[in-house]
Each structure stands twice: as C-alpha cells, then as structure tokens.
Amino acid sequence: MKDYRFKLVAAVAVLAALTGFNSADAANVNITPLGAHKGEFCHLDRAMILEDPDGTRLLYDPGRTVAGPEDSRLGMIDAILVSHMHGDHVGDKTIAAEGTGGECAKPNFPNNALPNTNVVNIALAKNAKIVSGSEMPKYFASKLKALGGDPTNSQLVRFGASRKVGGVTITTVPAVHSNGIAGGMIEGELGELLNAAGLTAYAGPPTGYVLTFSNGLVAYLSGDTGVTAEQDTVVRQLYNAKLVVMNIGDTFTTGPKEAAWVINNLVKPASVIASHANQPSTKNGMVIDGTRLDQFMKAVNVPVHTPLSGNTMSFNSDGNCVTGC
Ligand SMILES: [Zn+2]
C-alpha cells in the first residue's frame, strides 16, 4: 500500500513538472487598489478589490476613491467589507472618476454619498453583500431596506465567527480605534440632533478582517487600528496570516514605526501591502523619499508592496507576490 502511494505521488510530481503546473500559476489571489489617481498611491486611498482564484470578488473599504457604483473599475462585486463607519472608509463623498481633478495630495470629492454612503450605493447597484462585524450590519440592513434593496444582503460576522462568500472564508478581528455613525449618515431629526450635540451613534467596535482564500492564502486587513494583542495571538498564532494590508497613516492609526513593529514582531507575514498613508506616497509610481511609506518600507523585514491604483498584484498561497509588484 505504501509503495503504491509513493508511486502515485511520484507520477503526479512528474506530470506536474511536465505540464509546468504549479500553484503559483493556477491559484493566485489578485489584489487591485482603487485609488484617486491611476498608477499612484494618493492621500486618501484605501479601496482594494481582492479576487479569489474562483472568481469571488471582494471590495474592501471603498471610501472616497471609488466613484460610486458606476465606477468602471468595479465590475462584479460579491461582497463589500467595511472595517468601520468613518467617512473615509464607508464613503461619505467620492471622486467623480479616477484621475479627475485634484492633486494626489488633495483629490476632489465632488459627489455627496450621504445619507446612503458609498458602500450602500454600491451594494444596491451590484446586489452585493455587505459583510461586517459589531453593530454595523443592522445599520446597513436598514439602509438597504429603506432604499428598496434586500436587507438580508447585510451579513454579520463577529470576532471568532466566520462566514463564507464564494471560496473566501471571512472573519473579523478587533481593531483599536473608534467607530461612530455620523449624523449625516442618519436621516431626519436623529441625525440633526447628533450633529448639533457633536455626538455619533453607536456602531460597536471597529474591526479588521482575516480572509482565507480558496488557494490557502490567509490575508489580514488591519483596518484602522493601533497595536493589538490579537495581531499576535489571533492573526498569527491562530490564522497564520501570510499577507497583510497594513494601515500606516499615523495620528489616526499606527504610524510607520509602530506598523513596522507589528509586522516584524507580531504578525510576521511573508509580505505586506501598505495602505492608508494619508499623504501622497508616490510620484510617477515611484516612492517619494521621506514619506510614511518610505519609512515603513525601510523598517519592515519583508517585502512591502505599494498599492498603485489600478495595478493588479498576484499573491500565491505562501503570501508571496508573483506578478505585478
Ligand atoms: Zn481611516
């Protein structure tokens, strides 16, 4: 029996060598940043599309740099992931189209997405799910219902649980940040009262995500966060994340120094995509010296990839970039 098994494994190995087949060719996860200016990493860029090898497409924190559901870069979207309710993540206003108006340092956001939010507008038009943690799903469900959509498209996944969309298993992990729903995202008197009092509505804790793709790649999307113990205990020890999308903006989240410490000492992935730098990080696609991105790259022990808008990066199951980086 053992001998038979050995022969079978050997035959498969020979076949794989002959056909040139390997997992890097057949089963990569494609990640495409959707920023304000094509080929650059600009001030408020957050949005990314993550596509599983089985074709499942997830849109992460569309924020202000996806020009609503009409943005031609979106294509089909199966689910939208929302780390928290701040306007630069859920989308309170948006660009008119990629590359239209404004500098990389100060993009124009002429389109008002309130009170619906960019997330809800995209979910309605694409019939996409919104997969979020905390108290956020109730808010999204009520918006979808009020706008004639399907409230069951807003789906809960709290810390410790998981939910599958296509080939991707999605869970949320704690982020240490804040997560109020602004008055402008709530219609009527309640919204006005909140604004007048300088208060926000409770949405529960903010989150990050851990995604397990069908090729085995595990990715951690940090969301807006400071350093958390779960980046060690849960993200690394339990899920063994090999790719990280890490927010580096400082003031609101870990800055480049703290984010690099998280990568080097807590998560220890194979590679990282920087995100949420809150300043123009590139010119003509090249990293600008002295920026947070530059500091982060110099401090991190593993390859750091720049999220240039529209540039698709492909990652294998080990978290290594195989094309596009
Ligand atoms: Zn943010």
Side-chain angles (χ1 to χ4, degrees):
M1 181 66 187
K2 265 186 188 160
D3 185 47
Y4 167 76
R5 252 201 244 157
F6 173 77
K7 278 183 183 158
L8 185 66
V9 169
V12 168
V14 168
L15 190 67
L18 286 174
T19 57
F21 173 90
N22 65 54
S23 61
D25 296 323
N28 296 325
V29 172
N30 292 327
I31 300 181
T32 309
L34 303 182
H37 289 269
K38 191 170 177 60
E40 305 287 3
F41 177 28
C42 293
H43 184 202
L44 288 170
D45 290 1
R46 285 107 174 80
M48 290 180 191
I49 289 177
L50 301 102
E51 184 174 331
D52 190 89
D54 80 349
T56 304
R57 285 164 66 84
L58 307 177
L59 173 63
Y60 170 50
D61 280 354
R64 295 172 181 164
T65 64
V66 174
E70 307 307 322
D71 194 316
S72 61
R73 299 172 297 172
L74 284 177
M76 180 200 74
I77 297 294
D78 294 287
I80 307 173
L81 310 178
V82 189
S83 64
H84 65 293
M85 295 300 302
H86 291 163
D88 57 321
H89 293 257
V90 80
D92 51 358
K93 53 191 174 180
T94 77
I95 57 171
E98 185 187 36
T100 55
E103 302 288 311
C104 190
K106 205 172 186 303
N108 290 335
F109 302 115
N111 294 347
N112 177 27
L114 297 181
N116 296 0
T117 74
N118 202 18
V119 164
V120 169
N121 287 337
I122 295 167
L124 276 172
K126 304 281 181 184
N127 195 30
K129 296 179 172 65
I130 303 170
V131 180
S132 62
S134 296
E135 303 295 331
M136 295 182 275
K138 290 182 202 162
Y139 168 84
F140 290 124
S142 87
K143 282 284 180 202
L144 290 174
K145 192 176 172 192
L147 295 163
D150 179 0
T152 65
N153 270 347
S154 177
Q155 300 191 334
L156 171 71
V157 61
R158 288 218 175 99
F159 180 41
S162 65
R163 180 181 282 283
K164 224 166 171 186
V165 174
V168 189
T169 303
I170 302 169
T171 189
T172 55
V173 291
V176 177
H177 190 61
S178 67
N179 193 26
I181 302 174
M185 295 176 191
I186 302 164
E187 282 173 284
E189 203 180 352
L190 176 60
E192 285 168 24
L193 288 170
L194 286 168
N195 278 341
L199 296 173
T200 57
Y202 179 72
T207 70
Y209 287 87
V210 173
L211 309 176
T212 305
F213 294 93
S214 66
N215 69 341
L217 174 67
V218 180
Y220 166 52
L221 317 178
S222 75
D224 279 7
T225 188
V227 179
T228 74
E230 290 83 4
Q231 288 166 332
D232 176 10
T233 54
V234 179
V235 176
R236 181 174 61 84
Q237 293 189 47
L238 174 59
Y239 293 111
N240 198 18
K242 290 298 179 195
L243 171 67
V244 177
V245 176
M246 190 74 204
N247 294 14
I248 63 168
D250 218 342
T251 306
F252 306 98
T253 71
T254 45
K257 188 177 155 208
E258 295 82 4
W261 190 85
V262 167
I263 297 299
N264 293 340
N265 297 286
L266 301 187
V267 187
K268 303 179 183 177
S271 61
V272 187
I273 301 171
S275 188
H276 199 287
N278 287 350
Q279 64 181 178
S281 301
T282 61
K283 191 167 186 190
N284 300 322
M286 305 300 288
V287 179
I288 300 170
D289 280 348
T291 54
R292 294 186 191 101
L293 175 62
D294 184 44
Q295 295 169 47
F296 180 66
M297 284 177 152
K298 285 172 177 160
V300 168
N301 297 334
V302 294
V304 175
H305 306 297
T306 306
L308 300 174
S309 183
N311 177 52
T312 299
M313 299 170 276
S314 298
F315 292 86
N316 66 15
S317 58
D318 298 326
N320 295 311
C321 184
V322 289
T323 57
C325 295

